[in-house]
Amino acid sequence: MTGPEGTPTPVTTVLCPEWVLPMTDEGPFCHEGWAVALAGDRIAAVGPADALTARWPQATRQALPKQALLPGFINAHGHAAMSLFRGFADDMALGPWLEERIWPLEGRFVDPEFVADGTALAAAEMLRGGTTTFSDMYFFPEVAASVALKAGLRAQLCCPLIQFPTAWASGAEEGLRKTLALRDEYRDSEQIQVAFGPHSTYALSPEHMIRIATLAEELDLPVQIHLQETAAEVEDAMKAHGERPTASLERYGLLSPRLQAVHLTQVSDGDLERLQRYNVSVVHCPQSNLKLASGFAPVARFLKAGLRVALGTDGAASNNALSMLRELQVAALLAKAVAGDATALPAHQALRMATRGGAEALGMDERRGQLAPGFDADLVSISLAGLEAQPVYHPEAQLAYSLSDSAVRHCWIAGKPVLKDGNLTTLDEADLIRRAERWKHRMGAA
C-alpha cells in the first residue's frame, strides 16, 4: 500500500467493533476485541484493538459498539434492473414466469432508462444489506456499469448473450461485439469487471458457445451461465442433444475454472465429477430456486467435492429481495434439510460462502473476501445489540440465523463509507422510490 512516488499510504482510520470475523484461514473464526486499520482503499492491519490504536495514534478511532465487522457480502448472481419487476409475476413456475410474464414485459419496457432506474434501486437495497460487490447479468450492462460507479459498488457485469434479438443486441454476434467493447473500456478498472454471460445452453447455438469458450480462454475472462436450473431443462437437453447440459459445456470447451455455474439444482454423479474435474465454481441461489420450485442444489455434495460455492440472490422478480443475510440464512437451513444432516452447512460456512466464497467464485479472491493486510477495504458492520440477537454466545450464529438487513449499520467500499449508521451516502433513497413509483404506473397501466 503505497501512495505517490512509492510513499506508504498513511493509516487514517481504525475500526473498533466488538467482534471481527476476518474469513481467513488463520486462527479462530471470530475475534473479540480486535480492530481493523484502513490505509486509503486497502486494509493495513487486523489485530488486537489496543495494539492497533497504539501503533497509529494519529488515526481516527471509530468505535462500533456491539457490532460485528466482516468482509462485505458478495452477491454472485443477479439481474439488478429486474427490481422494477418485484412482485409483478409471483407464484408461477419458471417456464410460464419467463414466457408469459417477464419476457413480454421486457420486450415492451426494457431500455437504458429502465436499466438505470432498476439498477440504482437494486444498488441501494444491496448497500443497505452490506453487499459491496455484485454480479449482474442483464441488458445494457454499460448502463449498469455507470450506476455501479456512481453508487460506489463493485460489479462483475456478465453481458447477456442470447440467440434471439433483445433490446440490447440483435443477437449473439452483436452481443459478443458489445461485450468485447465493454471489456476494453473497463480493462483497467478496479471497480468494474466484465464477463461473458451466455444465458443457458438452450439459448445459444453450439457455434457461439464454442466461440465464447475460445474468447474466454484467450482473454482470461469469466463466464457465467444458468445451468441445470430445472428438471425440464435437463430433460429437454437429453431429447434435443442426447446429453446433459454439463456434457454439452464440456464438449464446447466451456468447463474450466473461469466458469460460474448458476443454480445447478439437478446434479447427477457424472455432472459432479465434471464440475470437480474442471474446477468449476457454483453459484447457489436458494430463495429463487425455492420460489420458482426449480429444485434443490446439493450444496453439501458440492462442498464435499471441494468446489468453490458462492451465494447469489438472483433478481428481485424471483426472490423478491436482494438481501445476502436472508440468502445465507436460507442456504444454511436448506442445506441441512436436503442433506438430512444438521451439520451440512454450519453458520460459519454459510457466512464464508457469502463473502470469501463469492470472491473465489468470481476470481477476485486475491483482493476481496477477507479482512487481511493488503486486501481491499470492503467491509460491513452489523449490530448484535437488538433483542433478537440476545444473548450473544457465538456472533456467527446470530448472523446466520437471527438477523435481518435492518441490523446492518455501516458499509465501506475501497475504504469509503457508502452506508453510515444505516443511511446511504451515495444514493438518494427518496428519489429512487419516486422513480420506482413512476415505473409501476407505466407498467401497471400496460
Side-chain angles (χ1 to χ4, degrees):
M1 293 167 291
T2 57
E5 300 178 358
T7 58
T9 303
V11 169
T12 56
T13 306
V14 179
L15 303 174
C16 299
E18 186 150 347
W19 303 277
V20 172
L21 286 68
M23 303 297 162
T24 59
D25 294 326
E26 297 78 29
F29 185 78
C30 180
H31 300 269
E32 192 167 351
W34 273 32
V36 178
L38 307 184
D41 61 354
R42 303 287 186 91
I43 294 170
V46 182
D50 290 345
L52 266 57
T53 53
R55 183 177 175 185
W56 289 290
Q58 80 289 351
T60 299
R61 183 186 186 278
Q62 183 171 350
L64 303 170
K66 297 294 183 182
Q67 294 175 45
L69 189 67
L70 60 155
F73 294 128
I74 296 177
N75 186 346
H77 176 72
H79 313 284
M82 293 182 79
S83 291
L84 292 175
F85 294 149
R86 190 196 322 262
F88 192 91
D90 286 338
D91 307 319
M92 301 177 72
L94 179 62
W97 179 80
L98 279 172
E99 295 164 14
E100 298 172 17
R101 304 301 299 274
I102 297 301
W103 285 345
L105 203 62
E106 286 179 332
R108 295 192 62 180
F109 292 104
V110 172
D111 60 13
E113 182 187 6
F114 178 96
V115 171
D117 289 348
T119 304
L121 182 65
E125 183 180 355
M126 287 189 282
L127 289 172
R128 289 278 296 270
T131 292
T132 55
T133 297
F134 73 105
S135 181
D136 191 48
M137 184 191 290
Y138 208 62
F139 309 113
F140 302 100
E142 66 278 6
V143 176
S146 297
V147 173
L149 289 170
K150 179 181 178 183
L153 270 164
R154 302 190 196 271
Q156 175 189 260
L157 299 176
C158 306
C159 299
L161 300 171
I162 304 174
Q163 205 68 35
F164 54 80
T166 67
W168 182 62
S170 59
E173 280 298 318
E174 185 179 8
L176 281 170
R177 287 196 300 272
K178 288 187 170 184
T179 301
L180 295 175
L182 196 65
R183 179 257 180 186
D184 289 342
E185 182 177 352
Y186 289 103
R187 186 198 307 259
D188 301 318
S189 175
E190 291 278 328
Q191 205 170 330
I192 303 296
Q193 173 180 283
V194 174
F196 292 108
H199 178 273
S200 56
T201 57
Y202 55 83
L204 280 169
S205 69
E207 292 76 19
H208 281 113
M209 286 291 203
I210 292 168
R211 190 168 170 207
I212 291 168
T214 301
L215 288 169
E217 183 174 3
E218 289 176 354
L219 301 172
D220 193 23
L221 286 187
V223 180
Q224 187 172 104
I225 187 170
H226 302 100
L227 184 62
Q228 295 181 192
E229 184 174 359
T230 64
E233 177 189 337
V234 177
E235 292 166 6
D236 290 346
M238 291 297 295
K239 290 176 184 175
H241 308 293
E243 62 186 8
R244 297 170 71 86
T246 53
S248 296
L249 291 182
E250 181 179 35
R251 189 160 47 83
Y252 301 148
L254 269 167
L255 292 184
S256 82
R258 285 181 294 274
L259 188 68
Q260 303 159 14
V262 183
H263 295 301
L264 278 174
T265 70
Q266 315 296 314
V267 182
S268 68
D269 289 344
D271 294 328
L272 187 58
E273 189 278 328
R274 286 190 187 92
L275 298 170
Q276 188 179 31
R277 176 157 33 105
Y278 290 97
N279 198 19
V280 171
S281 295
V282 176
V283 182
H284 179 37
C285 303
Q287 291 195 99
S288 178
N289 293 340
L290 286 168
K291 185 163 184 279
L292 294 170
S294 297
F296 310 114
V299 172
R301 293 179 66 201
F302 294 150
L303 294 171
K304 188 175 180 180
L307 297 178
R308 297 181 299 273
V309 183
L311 289 176
T313 60
D314 212 348
S318 63
N319 185 312
N320 294 15
L322 303 180
S323 167
M324 286 296 288
L325 270 176
R326 274 182 50 177
E327 208 68 38
L328 72 91
Q329 289 163 1
V330 172
L333 298 174
L334 183 63
K336 301 176 196 314
V338 171
D341 178 4
T343 69
L345 186 58
H348 72 271
Q349 200 159 23
L351 281 163
R352 190 190 187 283
M353 285 166 53
T355 53
R356 186 173 174 180
E360 291 170 348
L362 302 189
M364 301 174 177
D365 51 310
E366 290 186 0
R367 293 264 300 271
R368 295 174 205 160
Q370 300 180 55
L371 303 186
F375 274 64
D376 289 332
D378 297 358
L379 313 92
V380 58
S381 74
I382 302 175
S383 174
L384 276 66
L387 287 172
E388 70 279 7
Q390 305 311 309
V392 182
Y393 298 111
H394 305 287
E396 60 268 30
Q398 266 73 357
L399 294 170
Y401 300 122
S402 304
L403 300 177
S404 67
D405 283 2
S406 62
V408 177
R409 305 315 305 151
H410 304 278
C411 190
W412 299 261
I413 300 177
K416 298 176 181 177
V418 290
L419 187 75
K420 280 186 176 182
D421 201 24
N423 297 308
L424 298 166
T425 67
T426 59
L427 294 167
D428 184 335
E429 183 175 346
D431 180 58
L432 293 174
I433 293 172
R434 282 193 295 270
R435 283 190 271 167
E437 281 290 321
R438 285 199 295 267
W439 282 105
K440 170 195 168 184
H441 293 305
R442 285 175 62 181
M443 290 188 290

